[in-house]
Amino acid sequence: MPEYLVNLPRQKNVINIYFPFHFDINYHTASTSDENQHIRDLIEQLLFTTPGERVNRPDFGSGVLSLIFAPNSPELAKAMEITIQASIEQWLGDLIDLQTLEVTSVDSSLYIVVEYFVQSSGETQTATFRTTVP
């Protein structure tokens, strides 16, 4: 992150766009007022975005989906944990502190359990994500 952005105060009237993106009943961009849900959505987007997929942020993402096709092994699970941890710290480090991270591959499914501390609320949250090989 550029140094000039590091110490900027967080804005209080920020709209948290709902994920997945859609419109509300008034045809405006849907938003959520639940910050914990918004942070969970941000983690999900980070996990399941492949680097290079976003036009203006080519290094955004964790590359987890490309690792699903690799042979299952403890070494691969550890490699995924390190990759995910680095991505979370890089992109969401100003919002959360990562407590624990578990990556498990079972047959064609990948399970990721993330426990994190939300800096703004002081709460610890746990989120579980699952994806399957198409």
Side-chain angles (χ1 to χ4, degrees), residues 42 45-46 49-54 57-62 91-92:
L42 291 175
Q45 290 175 45
L46 179 64
T49 299
T50 303
E53 187 175 333
R54 293 228 174 150
R57 295 194 175 198
D59 54 343
F60 179 84
S62 64
W91 293 103
L92 301 176

Side-chain angles (χ1 to χ4, degrees), residues 3-119:
E3 191 166 326
Y4 64 89
L5 294 176
V6 172
N7 295 322
L8 287 177
R10 220 172 127 86
Q11 298 176 359
K12 296 296 180 190
N13 56 357
V14 174
I15 295 174
N16 295 329
I17 297 175
Y18 197 86
F19 178 77
F21 181 81
H22 66 277
F23 297 103
D24 62 13
I25 59 173
N26 297 320
Y27 302 105
H28 296 124
T29 300
S31 62
T32 179
S33 60
D34 183 4
E35 187 173 8
N36 290 332
Q37 180 62 39
H38 179 65
I39 290 174
R40 186 198 181 284
D41 292 344
L42 291 175
I43 295 170
E44 182 175 2
Q45 290 175 45
L46 179 64
L47 289 176
F48 300 117
T49 299
T50 303
E53 187 175 333
R54 293 228 174 150
V55 176
N56 292 325
R57 295 194 175 198
D59 54 343
F60 179 84
S62 64
V64 166
L65 293 179
S66 64
L67 294 174
I68 290 177
F69 298 102
N72 190 7
S73 69
E75 293 81 14
L76 178 65
K78 189 64 177 173
M80 284 195 285
E81 285 181 17
I82 292 170
T83 302
I84 293 169
Q85 181 178 0
S87 295
I88 289 174
E89 289 176 2
Q90 177 183 2
W91 293 103
L92 301 176
D94 60 332
L95 299 174
I96 64 172
D97 293 323
L98 189 61
Q99 303 293 318
T100 60
L101 176 65
E102 292 180 28
V103 178
T104 309
S105 180
V106 178
D107 295 329
S108 64
S109 295
L110 180 69
Y111 297 91
I112 302 170
V113 180
V114 182
E115 184 178 341
Y116 55 94
F117 176 79
V118 180
Q119 295 175 1

